[in-house]
């Protein structure tokens, strides 16, 4: 009978290890999801390129003109006044453009904001690259302060031909608490 | 564990210990099965009471009975209690009682862990229900606990998460026990392909649980650290993504809904042959169908989230994969019907519930196919159509199978026949009222009534009134079930060993009620 007890114990350990491994797999899904989104361009996550590499990587396509629209949103409970300085731009793929968003903190408190970008249509998002963006970092704003935040971007000439309009949306989140916690 | 099995075996002639401590310290599979089943029955009424609050509020448009926040916590906790507190423990209780008797084993393989996995549950649900008395109230973000809404819960948030952790640990331990028992403790000659289907479906269910409950544990731990430890798994501000929660949750959630139905398939496959007096049609195809459903359950999760903005290719993949599940499920329904074909059928209460299951579960399956059509789902998503669908598969599916099982095996467990007349009354009142309750919800959903909302536009009033009336009748008629079970435990006509004329299987070779320890000498299976 102790033979059976041994077998039971071995089976128990084996099956319990599966359970532990699956707990790890749950966490593994997080980086897998990010990789998956990056490859497929799901979620409208945008690319980032080094300013020095732009000239090497892209050729300007003067024959194509693309409309880029800018949208700004506030996450629930975020009191900043936040918006693009121009609503739309006409751009040639392969050429670097500069624009900006403005933000003002109307509250009597010092706050930290974080803007999160998203590009529609999703299939074009990975062809929209930025060399400089206020969304790369947290943006602190003192009480009543306002700021002009620059954005430099380039549209990849390899973008699918049927895309004529890109929409870049920023949502600004209040991360004061999270920053204070760190 | 080794000591538990060994000492357990040294003294096999005694009966149960005396007094209440018997139930606290027991390692006997029959006692633990009884505890699970009684716990499930209590939780069934707790969750049912919450459903009554929901139907009372929805009886009329406008806010009448409770405030919206409390209504939302009713829908949320009703689901959590029914899934994790009623249906899953009921199936585990049946597994505890029946699997050792069906495979000719003296007990479960790991009896002490068995005791532990049951006794975690009352603590888990005390924790969960205690959140109603905390600042901010009970969880109110739906049982799926999507962030960011679920993160806005009050002081009860960590209590709810820990309650789910405990319930998850309990069912993982229960499942490990079932897997080890089935793999190691079968009587000589009981090959895998000779096992009763209830044992087969539970073996596969246990693997599903072991593979997915830890993923849920991970997801809710991420919620916990997002709220309290400054991580941002699901917070866009910190680079996370709330949609990712939905993917992780439903990676658990879809296998979970099959965890709630596969043991039911096993029960129906036991009952239908008995009362049709014919062997089950297509035994091996039943086993393969169960295994295919289990496999497919891992690759269809995103059909719960067609509207989050997926690429068309993904929508198509999840749509076709989901529809594929109808094939093995259809095999099962076909086999049950073929088993009944030209059988010498009688319609005792377990058979009535089994036939009710087959018909109404199939209705729920068909509305599931409608929901699987991605373009159509954009219309049905988060409406009462979804509510009608999953209540057809869970109430007239899972719950009906549990009731069928209770009526079928109660005479074996207690040695007494239940009151057949009351049982039949219970079946007919339940079946009529449950259809009055849930069928109109299909119409409400197609007309656009959203789920999880305490108020609705006036044009939805009529069907809601009908649905609520059905709900109250169904709710009250379940008290009959509790009474019938109670009466049967207390006494009744003596049951024979075989109980049912057509019953086949090792458990029917034992006396009714079976002695405290059975199959201490393994039977020989031909």
């Amino acid at each position: 009978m102790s033979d059976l007890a041994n077998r039971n114990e071995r089976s128990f350990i084996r099956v319990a290890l599966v359970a532990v491994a699956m707990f790890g797999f749950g966490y593994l899904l997080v980086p897998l999801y990010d990789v998956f989104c990056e490859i497929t361009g799901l979620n409208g996550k945008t690319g980032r390129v080094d300013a020095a590499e732009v000239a090497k990587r892209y050729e300007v396509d003067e024959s194509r003109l693309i409309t880029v629209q800018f949208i700004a949103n506030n996450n629930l409970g975020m009191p900043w006044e936040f918006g693009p300085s121009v609503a739309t731009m006409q751009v040639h793929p392969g050429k670097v453009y500069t624009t900006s968003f403005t933000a003002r903190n109307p509250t009597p408190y010092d706050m930290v904001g974080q803007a999160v970008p998203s590009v529609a249509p999703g299939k074009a998002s990975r062809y929209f690259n930025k060399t400089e963006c206020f969304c790369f970092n947290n943006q602190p704003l003192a009480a009543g302060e306002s700021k002009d935040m620059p954005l430099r971007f380039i549209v990849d000439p390899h973008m699918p031909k049927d895309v004529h309009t890109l929409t870049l949306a920023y949502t600004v989140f209040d991360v004061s608490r999270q920053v204070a916690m760190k | 564990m080794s000591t538990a099995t060994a000492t357990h075996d040294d003294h096999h002639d005694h009966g149960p210990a005396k007094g209440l401590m018997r139930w606290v310290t027991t390692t006997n599979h029959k006692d633990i099965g009884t505890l699970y089943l009684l716990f499930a029955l209590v939780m069934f009424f707790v969750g049912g009471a919450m459903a009554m609050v929901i139907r009372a509020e929805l009886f009329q448009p406008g806010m009448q009975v409770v405030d919206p926040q409390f209504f939302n916590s009713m829908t949320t906790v009703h689901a959590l209690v029914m899934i994790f507190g009623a249906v899953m423990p009921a199936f585990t209780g049946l597994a505890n009682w029946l699997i050792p008797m069906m495979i000719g084993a003296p007990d479960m393989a790991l009896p002490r862990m068995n005791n532990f996995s049951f006794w975690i549950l009352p603590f888990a649900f005390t924790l969960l229900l205690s959140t109603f008395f905390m600042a901010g109230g009970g969880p109110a973000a739906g049982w799926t606990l999507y962030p960011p809404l679920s993160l806005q819960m009050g002081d009860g948030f960590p209590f709810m998460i820990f309650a789910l952790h405990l319930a998850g640990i309990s069912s993982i331990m229960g499942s490990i026990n079932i897997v080890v028992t089935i793999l190691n403790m079968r009587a000589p000659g009981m090959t895998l392909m000779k096992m009763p289907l209830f044992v087969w479906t539970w073996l596969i269910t246990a693997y599903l649980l072991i593979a997915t409950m830890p993923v849920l544990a991970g997801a809710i731990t991420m919620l916990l650290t997002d709220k309290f430890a400054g991580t941002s798994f699901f917070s866009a501000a910190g680079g996370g993504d709330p949609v990712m929660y939905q993917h992780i949750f439903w990676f658990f959630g879809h296998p979970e809904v099959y965890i709630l139905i596969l043991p039911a398939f096993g029960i129906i496959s036991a009952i239908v042959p008995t009362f049709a007096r014919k062997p089950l049609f297509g035994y091996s195809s039943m086993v393969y169908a169960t295994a295919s459903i289990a496999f497919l359950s891992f690759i269809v999760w995103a059909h719960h989230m067609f509207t989050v903005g997926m690429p068309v290719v993904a929508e198509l993949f999840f749509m076709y994969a989901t529809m594929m599940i109808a094939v093995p499920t259809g095999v099962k329904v076909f086999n049950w019907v073929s088993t009944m074909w030209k059988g010498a059928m009688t319609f005792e209460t377990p058979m009535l519930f089994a036939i009710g299951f087959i018909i109404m579960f199939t209705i729920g399956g068909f509305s599931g196919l409608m929901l699987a059509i991605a373009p159509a789902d954009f219309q049905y998503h988060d409406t009462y159509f979804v509510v009608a669908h999953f209540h057809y598969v869970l109430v007239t599916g899972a719950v009906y199978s549990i009731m069928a099982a209770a009526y079928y095996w109660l005479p074996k467990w207690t040695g007494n026949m239940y009151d057949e007349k009351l049982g039949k009354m219970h079946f007919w009142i339940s079946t009529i009222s449950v259809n009055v309750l849930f069928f109109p919800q299909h119409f409400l959903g197609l007309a656009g009534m959203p789920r999880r909302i305490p108020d609705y536009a006036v044009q939805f009033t009529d069907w809601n009134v009908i649905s609520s009336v059905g709900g109250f009748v169904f709710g009250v008629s379940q008290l009959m079930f509790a009474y019938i079970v109670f009466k049967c435990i207390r006494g009744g006509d003596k049951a024979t060993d075989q109980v049912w004329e057509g019953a086949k299987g090792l458990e029917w070779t034992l006396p009714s009620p079976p002695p405290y320890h059975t199959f201490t000498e393994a039977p020989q299976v031909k």
Side-chain angles (χ1 to χ4, degrees):
Chain A
M1 207 57 190
S2 72
D3 183 42
L4 175 66
N6 282 336
R7 265 200 301 153
N8 285 349
E9 196 162 321
R10 253 180 293 136
S11 307
F12 167 79
I13 290 168
R14 233 175 280 151
V15 186
L17 279 178
V18 175
V20 174
M22 286 311 290
F23 184 75
F25 179 74
Y27 276 85
L28 186 67
L29 284 173
V30 177
L32 280 179
Y33 178 81
D34 286 342
V35 170
F36 188 76
C37 288
E38 204 170 302
I39 293 170
T40 58
L42 276 178
N43 253 342
K45 288 202 170 152
T46 54
R48 180 174 176 173
V49 288
D50 199 46
E53 266 186 53
V54 168
K56 269 187 278 172
R57 271 177 64 177
Y58 302 115
E59 253 175 66
V60 180
D61 183 356
E62 296 278 1
S63 65
R64 238 176 126 185
L65 206 56
I66 288 161
T67 309
V68 181
Q69 304 172 323
F70 300 101
I71 292 175
N73 297 305
N74 284 26
N75 190 42
L76 189 70
M78 177 56 160
W80 286 12
E81 289 152 19
F82 174 57
S85 52
V86 290
T88 60
M89 286 174 84
Q90 304 282 325
V91 304
H92 292 296
K95 196 170 165 189
V96 180
Y97 292 85
T98 306
T99 181
S100 70
F101 278 61
T102 47
R104 196 177 83 83
N105 175 6
T107 67
Y109 314 102
D110 296 352
M111 290 177 71
V112 185
Q114 169 69 53
V116 176
S118 173
V119 165
K123 66 173 176 178
S125 63
R126 61 191 159 130
Y127 301 97
F128 187 89
N129 293 315
K130 285 165 288 191
T131 60
E132 192 189 333
C133 176
F134 54 91
C135 60
F136 294 164
N137 302 102
N138 289 334
Q139 298 293 332
L141 279 185
E145 187 191 355
S146 62
K147 195 152 119 190
D148 204 39
M149 304 183 296
L151 164 70
R152 288 169 70 79
F153 66 90
I154 179 166
V155 176
D156 191 324
H158 299 102
M159 190 171 70
K161 295 284 176 226
D162 58 334
V163 178
H164 305 289
T165 306
L166 283 176
T167 309
L168 172 63
Y170 280 102
T171 305
V172 67
F173 292 79
D174 177 6
V175 292
S176 313
R177 213 178 115 246
Q178 284 90 324
V179 170
M181 270 164 83
K182 275 182 190 143
Chain B
M1 279 136 289
S2 50
T3 45
T5 328
T7 46
H8 192 76
D9 223 59
D10 290 337
H11 45 92
H12 40 74
D13 275 321
H14 71 153
K18 297 275 175 282
L20 267 183
M21 281 310 279
R22 163 192 174 179
W23 298 103
V24 179
T25 59
T26 184
T27 55
N28 180 286
H29 74 100
K30 300 182 185 76
D31 281 355
I32 293 172
T34 305
L35 285 171
Y36 265 113
L37 287 167
L38 291 178
F39 177 79
L41 189 62
V42 171
M43 283 296 129
F44 181 62
F45 284 105
V46 171
M50 293 176 189
M52 295 298 101
V53 174
I54 295 168
R55 282 324 313 172
E57 178 57 57
L58 293 176
F59 191 72
Q60 283 178 57
M63 302 307 305
Q64 333 282 342
V65 187
V66 292
D67 69 82
Q69 174 73 14
F70 187 75
F71 179 90
N72 290 344
S73 65
M74 283 291 107
T75 57
T76 305
V77 184
H78 162 73
L80 291 172
V81 163
M82 286 303 200
I83 293 167
F84 295 100
V87 174
M88 286 167 70
F91 281 140
T92 315
L94 290 170
N96 263 292
W97 250 108
L98 296 170
I99 287 177
M101 297 204 305
M102 283 177 162
I103 62 172
D107 204 314
M108 297 295 280
L110 312 160
R112 281 198 190 163
M113 193 172 79
N114 207 11
N115 173 294
F116 189 43
S117 56
F118 169 76
W119 277 108
I120 291 179
L121 279 180
F123 294 94
F125 285 87
T126 310
L127 267 185
L128 180 65
L129 296 175
S130 70
T131 58
F132 281 112
F133 305 100
M134 295 176 192
W143 81 282
T144 53
L145 308 173
Y146 284 178
L149 184 59
S150 64
L151 296 174
Q152 291 167 22
M153 188 182 160
D155 292 351
F157 182 78
F159 291 84
M160 172 198 66
I161 300 286
F162 290 138
L164 289 179
H165 274 143
L166 286 178
I169 290 169
S170 162
S171 58
I172 289 170
M173 290 199 305
S175 302
I176 292 176
N177 209 345
I178 286 165
V179 169
V180 177
T181 305
I182 296 173
L183 292 186
N184 292 350
M185 309 272 288
R186 276 171 289 130
M190 176 65 78
T191 58
L192 284 177
M193 289 310 271
K194 275 189 192 155
M195 294 194 309
L197 262 169
F198 180 72
V199 181
W200 254 117
T201 51
W202 240 117
L203 178 64
I204 291 167
T205 304
Y207 273 113
L208 285 182
L209 273 164
I210 290 162
T212 59
M213 286 306 288
V215 176
L216 173 72
I220 59 177
T221 308
M222 291 179 212
L223 285 179
L224 195 69
T225 55
D226 266 15
K227 188 161 168 97
F228 294 110
T231 59
S232 7
F233 287 106
F234 309 127
S235 147
D241 186 347
V243 174
M244 183 175 72
Y245 176 84
Q246 302 188 20
H247 282 286
I248 301 176
F249 179 86
W250 286 112
F251 183 83
F252 146 80
H254 201 78
E256 168 69 20
V257 304
Y258 291 133
I259 288 162
L260 298 173
I261 203 65
L262 291 184
F265 292 165
I267 292 165
I268 302 305
S269 304
I271 292 174
V272 170
T274 297
F275 295 97
R277 290 167 182 77
K278 275 175 67 193
L280 182 70
F281 184 89
Y283 170 88
S284 49
S285 70
M286 284 297 216
V287 173
Y288 297 132
T290 311
S292 345
I293 292 173
F295 168 74
L296 288 172
S297 73
F298 283 101
I299 56 164
V300 297
W301 75 88
H303 68 214
H304 295 271
M305 33 191 294
F306 275 143
T307 57
V308 289
M310 275 188 287
V312 175
V313 182
E315 305 248 339
L316 288 176
F317 171 79
F318 286 111
M319 172 168 115
Y320 290 131
T322 305
M323 290 181 162
M324 216 141 72
I325 296 178
V327 177
T329 314
V331 167
K332 284 182 168 296
V333 174
F334 178 84
N335 285 347
W336 291 322
V337 175
S338 303
T339 307
M340 288 190 271
W341 180 253
K342 291 192 173 171
M345 291 214 286
T346 51
F347 300 93
E348 286 87 344
T349 313
M351 184 61 162
L352 289 176
F353 273 97
I355 294 173
F357 171 98
I358 296 170
I359 294 169
M360 290 183 282
F361 174 79
T362 306
I363 294 175
F366 279 136
S367 57
L369 271 176
M370 290 172 70
L371 288 163
I373 304 168
D377 181 73
F378 277 65
Q379 168 75 12
Y380 309 147
H381 188 85
D382 263 349
T383 67
Y384 256 83
F385 191 79
V386 179
V387 176
H389 157 69
F390 67 70
H391 280 99
Y392 263 89
V393 288
L394 286 178
V395 179
T396 57
V399 173
Y400 261 47
S401 79
I402 293 164
M403 292 191 167
Y407 283 115
Y408 185 57
W409 279 293
L410 255 183
K412 171 55 64 187
W413 298 334
T414 62
N416 306 321
M417 294 304 287
Y418 60 87
D419 189 328
E420 186 67 54
K421 209 168 146 195
L422 282 180
K424 281 187 172 141
M425 260 174 73
H426 171 227
F427 170 77
W428 284 111
I429 297 175
S430 296
T431 302
I432 293 166
S433 59
V434 83
N435 282 291
V436 175
L437 163 59
F438 292 121
F439 213 83
Q441 297 183 359
H442 289 116
F443 311 142
L444 287 169
L446 293 177
M449 177 170 160
R451 63 191 281 214
R452 292 170 174 158
I453 308 278
D455 189 7
Y456 51 82
V458 284
Q459 71 265 31
F460 300 134
T461 310
D462 292 349
W463 287 123
N464 268 301
V465 170
I466 293 169
S467 178
S468 284
V469 169
F472 299 140
V473 176
F474 183 73
V476 173
S477 64
Q478 299 323 303
L479 295 172
M480 274 180 81
F481 177 67
Y483 173 72
I484 295 166
V485 171
F486 175 73
K487 197 176 158 197
C488 179
I489 295 171
R490 292 292 299 274
D493 300 343
K494 289 292 157 244
T496 61
D497 290 357
Q498 202 193 0
V499 183
W500 310 106
E501 189 191 23
K504 300 243 158 51
L506 284 180
E507 79 266 35
W508 307 109
T509 64
L510 294 167
S512 305
Y516 199 54
H517 293 290
T518 46
F519 293 131
T520 43
E521 301 284 325
Q524 195 69 40
V525 181
K526 286 187 284 318

